[in-house]
Amino acid sequence: MSQITTHVLDTTSGKPAAAVPVKLYHLNGDSWLSLGEGRTNDDGRILDLLDECLHLPAGTYRMHFDTHQYFLNHNIKGFYPYVDIVFELHGGAEHYHIPLLLSPFGYSTYRGS
């Protein structure tokens, strides 16, 4: 399992959000460098966003969720075409889980375990 994982839940249906495109970036100066990408599985999870041997340095990171594509695939009119979650890592090999609770007109996140 990679150092950073995610889980997307569709709070309107009460089910995992499958096939949500997700990208991970690292802030380097004024530029965002792409580190990995994937799609959520049938359980709404991505466990292999990064190589499991890779340990990320301290810094600012961003997970980009393409919610427009998810809503389009489910014939739902959503308000937010994407969700960016920006967070800071403080170094070391600690695991970080970044969940997204999603509905057509709102979203929420928290530091998972």
Side-chain angles (χ1 to χ4, degrees):
M1 180 172 17
S2 75
Q3 186 179 7
I4 295 180
T5 57
T6 191
H7 188 194
V8 183
L9 294 173
D10 184 331
T11 59
T12 302
S13 68
K15 296 180 180 179
V20 177
V22 178
K23 294 182 181 179
L24 177 65
Y25 298 91
H26 178 239
L27 185 60
N28 184 4
D30 293 334
S31 301
W32 290 101
L33 301 176
S34 179
L35 297 179
E37 62 183 86
R39 287 183 179 267
T40 56
N41 63 18
D42 289 342
D43 194 33
R45 298 178 185 274
I46 300 178
L47 302 176
D48 60 353
L49 196 56
L50 300 170
D51 183 308
E52 65 183 69
C53 297
L54 180 65
H55 296 289
L56 299 173
T60 303
Y61 293 82
R62 175 175 55 132
M63 288 190 82
H64 175 86
F65 298 82
D66 185 351
T67 54
H68 173 76
Q69 187 62 51
Y70 174 76
F71 292 138
L72 189 65
N73 290 346
H74 291 84
N75 200 27
I76 298 171
K77 288 185 180 180
F79 186 69
Y80 299 101
Y82 64 88
V83 173
D84 280 344
I85 300 174
V86 179
F87 54 97
E88 289 183 333
L89 301 186
H90 301 289
E94 191 173 349
H95 175 254
Y96 297 89
H97 185 64
I98 314 295
L100 176 64
L101 305 175
L102 180 63
S103 76
F105 301 102
Y107 62 87
S108 178
T109 188
Y110 57 94
R111 164 89 193 265
S113 58

